[in-house]
Amino acid sequence: MSGIRAGDGAYDVAVIGYGPTGVTAANLLGAAGLRVVVVERDAEVFSRARAISTDEEVVRIWQRTGLAERLKRDMLAERPLDFVDARGRAFVSACPTPRGHGHPPQMFLYQPALEQVLRAGTDRYPNVEVLLRHECLRVQQDLDGVELTLVDIAGDSLRRLRAS
Ligand SMILES: Cc1cc2nc3c(=O)[nH]c(=O)nc-3n(C[C@H](O)[C@H](O)[C@H](O)COP(=O)(O)OP(=O)(O)OC[C@H]3O[C@@H](n4cnc5c(N)ncnc54)[C@H](O)[C@@H]3O)c2cc1C
């Protein structure tokens, strides 16, 4: 591994991890005009479904990113839900009713597709820089903010960034 590259520039906010939480934060911070760096060790969106549903509170957060209606096009709303035992017999059934928050109370989703839409959303913001295949090894706080030590996995090198 080669020597550390320092002084890549200072950011207002560093987001470590470009999963649903990080990408949502990057969209909100980008819209606020902040200079943001996102650090994600993987090259691609994780390809398997994990989260399977969301509620109206989260959709209201995505509404603030301007992406809620686009995201909802890929979701299934207002479906009854059964928890079943090993024989397939339902032991809990639920059908959430709207609570007046402007979106269905429960929507089923496919996480990789959702993440792709949210990632495309950050392309709207030149002030958001995304570093894929970079792993954050260390975050050190001082009076002015934080210093991140990253490994650039593709380049097999270390670099340091600052964020306030
Ligand atoms: C097996 C499994 C089953 C699940 N099933 C369900 C389910 O049925 N329903 C449901 O609602 N939810 C489910 N989940 C949870 C769902 O996947 C998470 O709630 C969701 O992915 C969390 O999003 P996140 O952005 O907080 O974290 P993550 O999706 O974990 O994203 C974190 C990101 O940070 C990156 N990262 C971590 N450390 C570093 C570092 N040091 N440097 C750089 N990058 C880093 C990771 O590569 C990752 O991309 C499941 C999760 C798992 C693992």
Side-chain angles (χ1 to χ4, degrees):
M1 192 169 281
S2 55
I4 294 179
R5 277 190 288 144
D8 275 297
Y11 298 87
D12 296 313
V13 184
V15 176
I16 316 299
Y18 207 27
T21 306
V23 71
T24 298
N27 273 284
L28 294 170
L29 295 164
L34 295 169
R35 197 161 168 237
V36 180
V37 64
V38 182
V39 179
E40 168 56 55
R41 67 181 160 214
D42 290 342
E44 308 278 351
V45 165
F46 190 74
S47 61
R48 290 180 191 255
R50 292 175 293 160
I52 55 159
S53 78
T54 190
D55 66 15
E56 73 274 51
E57 300 286 356
V58 174
V59 178
R60 283 167 68 89
I61 294 170
W62 287 328
Q63 185 178 315
R64 285 190 53 205
T65 71
L67 299 169
E69 294 309 316
R70 170 64 192 86
L71 290 166
K72 282 166 65 180
R73 290 215 305 265
D74 296 335
M75 297 182 189
L76 293 172
E78 289 165 23
R79 301 295 161 111
L81 185 66
D82 288 333
F83 290 87
V84 298
D85 64 18
R87 294 184 187 163
R89 291 178 306 201
F91 59 93
V92 175
S93 296
C95 193
T97 50
R99 287 174 285 209
H101 291 185
H103 298 286
Q106 182 167 43
M107 279 158 284
F108 293 95
L109 56 86
Y110 180 57
Q111 186 171 343
L114 174 120
E115 290 189 43
Q116 293 289 5
V117 171
L118 291 169
R119 287 190 180 196
T122 63
D123 293 343
R124 298 172 294 177
Y125 305 112
N127 46 316
V128 176
E129 186 179 348
V130 180
L131 301 177
L132 298 176
R133 300 203 70 197
H134 282 69
E135 181 165 13
C136 183
L137 301 181
R138 188 171 66 176
V139 179
Q140 275 182 302
Q141 181 149 9
D142 55 39
L143 289 176
D144 298 321
V146 292
E147 182 180 84
L148 310 182
T149 304
L150 314 179
V151 59
D152 174 347
I153 295 166
D156 196 26
S157 59
L158 293 176
R159 64 194 281 190
R160 289 206 177 111
L161 301 178
R162 286 203 60 84
S164 54

